[in-house]
Amino acid sequence: MLNPSPGTVPTSLYEKRKAVFPKAVDGRFRRFKWLVMLVTLGIYYLTPWLRWDRGPYAPNQAVLVDLAHRRFYMFGIEIWPQEFYFVAGLLIMAGIGLFLITSAVGRAWCGYACPQTVWTDLFQHVDRLVDGDRNAQMRLEAAPWGPKKISKRAVKWLIYLLISFWTGGAWIMYFADAPTLTRDFWSGTAAPVAYATVGVLTATTLIFGAFMREQICIYMCPWPRIQTAMLDEKSLIVTYKDWRGEPRGSVKQALKNPDQVGDCIDCNQCVNVCPTGYDIRNGPDIACITCALCIDACDSVMKQVGRPRGLIDYATLEDCKIEREGGQPRSILKALFHVRTLVYLGVWAAIGFGLLFALGARKHIDISVQKDRNPPFMLLSSGEVRNAYTVKLRNMEGRPRPMQVAMIGLDKGVMWTDDMPREQAARTLRLTVAADRTEPLRVYVTAPDGTAPQHFSFDLKALDTDGGGDVSDVRFDAPEGAGE
């Protein structure tokens, strides 16, 4: 509360939330919201239960973030830790995709696909199922507490809780085998972090989606503030055409004075259906999430009163100016594909093609070598010079693969490992690397007395029919002046 001056009334900086009771509406945008909600919720809840056969050496869950083994599986794609740039690329594509959508059709992400919007929409349908539509909800809200109100609130909040719990439970299924984790969860043998995660996500879903709702969009989310910087006069946004609707008046007034009243009959249906309770006739605002339900409501009213649709419509500010002056606005396609959206689309597509190329060109086996630095070499009693290396052979396939490591260069040099006697040293090593695994080897390389310091390579090749290989260049250290 502000410190009041003498004789003034104290002013509070807090405004109590005004409950919003959106009215049910039917129309093309409402049906599109139904479709998006069903698709997004279906993907979220059902994806962990999809199976994908990767053979006997890898998990068969289609989408899995395997933190224990540091793997990310998505159908036929397996991402290793050193390939995190694929995940980074997808995140960049998601960000640029948001920029593209915002530049083209305003806050359509907020209006249709944002998780806060999707779950809030789901909870609002629960409200209508239990309490009835807008008027019934308002009457129940104003009614005193009694058996009917208590029973309805108990049923509704129980459904809220079940949806929230299911949401939290679905999230953890992405991090372990879904059937196994479900069985462990209900038997009480799952890891404590699983129960904690479900508890936190249940609480946040319940609080954000069931009770705070539009407050998250208007006050807490930073995205509406960011989006305003990406909108311009060429962006399609939900717009009230005030030059056509003003001054407002009823149908009776329009019949008496047809030249003095606009098309808006001031029925407030556009406000009643808005999930945030905003009046679009006040102009663009962060409270408008561009769900376009007000368009459905207004089009329905215009049809009933015999006036053309589009009093509230998707339009750019440029086209609004043209239409206000009596001109013909551009088509939707021309409004969508302007320079800014084409630039975003080009960058987005370039990153996508780059990721696809990298995914197709990546190697499924590789070798990495780290040379011992202390000591850089050892002189053996025989006069030979020995260097030691830590070699890692990586098999990114879902099956064991026979491999060969050969020395290229360093003539007369031989190598062996800790798993073989020194007498079997040779210029090649053969071994089988297990499926989906990195095999560490301790490799020792010796060269005759007098060998000069030089570079050579470890050459890795797969010995099966699929083939493939990799090369790692390393240095062989020896006493200075050797070989001169």
Side-chain angles (χ1 to χ4, degrees), residues 33 38 53 81 155 216 235 274 278 292 296 325 377 404 434 475:
K33 275 181 69 70
L38 292 175
D53 185 13
V155 171
I216 300 294
S235 301
C274 180
Y278 179 65
D296 285 338
E325 296 172 352
F377 61 87
Q404 174 182 281
R475 176 179 171 80

Side-chain angles (χ1 to χ4, degrees), residues 433-455:
V433 180
D436 198 33
R437 183 176 173 183
T438 298
E439 185 74 33
L441 296 175
R442 189 69 175 159
V443 176
Y444 304 98
V445 176
T446 60
D449 184 19
T451 300
Q454 58 188 280
H455 288 85

Side-chain angles (χ1 to χ4, degrees), residues 14-329:
Y14 172 76
E15 182 181 7
K16 185 178 180 181
R17 174 181 182 256
K18 298 176 182 177
V20 177
F21 304 98
K23 182 179 179 179
V25 65
D26 185 36
R28 51 180 177 164
F29 294 108
R30 174 63 265 183
R31 290 189 288 271
F32 184 63
K33 275 181 69 70
W34 271 113
L35 176 63
V36 173
M37 184 178 71
L38 292 175
V39 170
T40 52
L41 291 179
I43 291 173
Y44 177 74
Y45 289 122
L46 299 179
T47 296
W49 299 93
L50 299 178
R51 302 292 100 181
W52 189 270
D53 185 13
R54 300 185 181 92
Y57 302 100
N60 67 344
Q61 186 162 307
V63 179
L64 177 65
V65 182
D66 190 353
L67 296 179
H69 299 93
R70 298 185 296 174
R71 302 286 188 276
F72 172 48
Y73 299 95
M74 180 177 286
F75 298 96
I77 300 173
E78 178 183 352
I79 303 299
W80 285 54
Q82 73 274 11
E83 297 177 317
F84 189 78
Y85 55 84
F86 284 112
V87 179
L90 290 176
L91 293 176
I92 293 172
M93 287 186 67
I96 295 176
L98 282 177
F99 299 162
L100 171 62
I101 292 172
T102 301
S103 177
V105 288
R107 294 179 61 191
W109 161 259
C110 297
Y112 296 98
C114 172
Q116 176 66 23
T117 297
V118 172
W119 265 269
T120 296
D121 199 19
L122 178 61
F123 284 123
Q124 287 173 346
H125 289 306
V126 173
D127 293 343
R128 297 188 186 102
L129 175 67
V130 177
D131 297 339
D133 204 1
R134 172 182 166 82
N135 292 337
Q137 293 177 38
M138 295 174 69
R139 287 194 298 269
L140 186 64
E141 178 72 14
W145 285 94
K148 180 180 179 181
K149 186 171 182 176
I150 292 174
S151 61
K152 282 184 174 291
R153 286 291 186 266
V155 171
K156 184 171 69 173
W157 290 346
L158 177 60
I159 298 175
Y160 285 172
L161 184 61
L162 291 175
I163 293 174
S164 302
F165 177 77
W166 191 17
T167 301
W171 177 257
I172 64 173
M173 300 300 168
Y174 286 89
F175 298 87
D177 181 66
T180 303
L181 181 56
T182 301
R183 183 172 59 252
D184 293 345
F185 187 91
W186 290 108
S187 65
T189 57
V193 68
Y195 297 101
T197 302
V198 171
V200 170
L201 292 179
T202 299
T204 52
T205 304
L206 184 65
I207 294 171
F208 292 171
F211 297 106
M212 295 188 69
R213 298 189 177 179
E214 77 285 347
Q215 290 182 300
I216 300 294
C217 304
I218 298 174
Y219 301 113
M220 293 181 62
C221 181
W223 187 236
R225 281 83 180 167
I226 299 172
Q227 282 180 317
T228 56
M230 291 183 284
L231 293 173
D232 57 21
E233 65 279 359
K234 299 180 183 295
S235 301
L236 278 170
I237 58 175
V238 175
T239 305
Y240 169 65
K241 300 176 181 178
D242 57 339
W243 67 91
R244 177 184 151 187
E246 302 296 327
R248 306 170 195 174
S250 65
V251 176
K252 291 182 179 180
Q253 290 175 322
L255 291 175
K256 292 180 180 179
N257 304 290
D259 298 330
Q260 299 178 10
V261 178
D263 283 348
C264 179
I265 64 173
D266 207 18
C267 62
N268 281 332
Q269 290 303 305
C270 56
V271 183
N272 294 341
V273 301
C274 180
T276 66
Y278 179 65
D279 189 345
I280 189 61
R281 295 172 296 179
N282 293 332
D285 190 89
I286 61 172
C288 175
I289 61 173
T290 318
C291 65
L293 296 183
C294 54
I295 298 179
D296 285 338
C298 188
D299 284 352
S300 176
V301 173
M302 290 296 102
K303 183 178 180 180
Q304 293 174 24
V305 299
R307 297 175 185 176
R309 67 158 302 276
L311 178 60
I312 302 175
D313 206 357
Y314 269 108
T316 69
L317 295 181
E318 278 189 352
D319 289 332
C320 285
K321 183 178 180 181
I322 294 173
E323 192 173 350
R324 184 194 298 268
E325 296 172 352
Q328 184 66 29

Side-chain angles (χ1 to χ4, degrees), residues 442-478:
R442 189 69 175 159
V443 176
Y444 304 98
V445 176
T446 60
D449 184 19
T451 300
Q454 58 188 280
H455 288 85
F456 73 102
S457 301
F458 286 104
D459 180 58
L460 174 67
K461 288 185 178 179
L463 301 178
D464 53 17
T465 55
D466 289 342
D470 193 20
V471 177
S472 180
D473 296 326
V474 294
R475 176 179 171 80
F476 183 85
D477 287 323

